[in-house]
Amino acid sequence: ADLRRLHGNATAVVTLSADGRPLAEARTAKALAAAETGWTMDGIAAFALHRRDADPGKGDGFIGYAGIRRAANPLDPGGADVWELLYGLLPAAWGQGYGTEAGRAVLADAQDRLGIRTIWAWTLWTNRASRALMARLGFVQVGGAVYSGLPHV
């Protein structure tokens, strides 16, 4: 239900979907299944993010997700998969440092626990906040690519 709320949020999906429209329930189900597969196959996937002062058991405090997943390399279609940083936040959580905190935590987990040294991230060219977050996390732009039918960096 939490991820569905994010995928259905008209403001948030502008940063998450190729057409800027809410994601279909089937897409949410696919994302949840992919996360489960990631945990089973690779020992890593997306984490649900909740405010520290919230009780997730009561269904409150959800602000988004962050994690690492295996993904196709948009700069080398058909080539070897890469590790991708992924994140999405509800608009009420934007600009409060949650993305930076979560990004640092998942990058440290991937590097320390699993030994993953090279991690990619991409975002829509127009998403300045996401680009700034990537810079804060130490990412360096190496090019652009079309991903989900839109220009990404």
Side-chain angles (χ1 to χ4, degrees):
D2 288 336
L3 185 59
R4 185 72 216 129
R5 189 163 34 107
L6 177 61
H7 282 178
N9 184 288
T11 303
V13 295
V14 170
T15 68
L16 299 174
S17 74
D19 61 7
R21 294 175 35 204
L23 300 172
E25 286 187 36
R27 175 80 185 272
T28 302
K30 183 177 177 182
L32 291 169
E36 186 173 330
T37 299
W39 281 112
T40 302
M41 302 282 297
D42 299 316
I44 197 162
F47 297 88
L49 303 175
H50 291 84
R51 289 186 334 270
R52 287 186 179 149
D53 63 346
D55 182 352
K58 293 182 180 177
D60 67 348
F62 175 79
I63 58 170
Y65 65 86
I68 304 287
R69 70 176 173 191
R70 192 180 298 270
N73 182 344
L75 298 178
D76 184 16
D81 285 350
V82 297
W83 293 106
E84 175 194 11
L85 172 68
L86 62 147
Y87 50 85
L89 297 171
L90 285 166
W94 292 355
Q96 298 182 46
Y98 293 121
T100 302
E101 181 180 0
R104 286 181 179 148
V106 298
L107 290 171
D109 179 58
Q111 293 169 352
D112 297 345
R113 186 172 58 87
L114 299 175
I116 297 171
R117 297 288 176 245
T118 303
I119 299 171
W120 293 61
W122 42 85
T123 188
L124 289 168
W125 177 258
T126 56
N127 190 339
R128 291 184 184 146
S130 189
R131 292 171 66 188
L133 171 60
M134 289 176 189
R136 281 192 301 278
L137 295 174
F139 285 88
V140 177
Q141 184 177 335
V142 296
V146 174
Y147 184 72
S148 296
L150 295 171
H152 282 67
V153 293

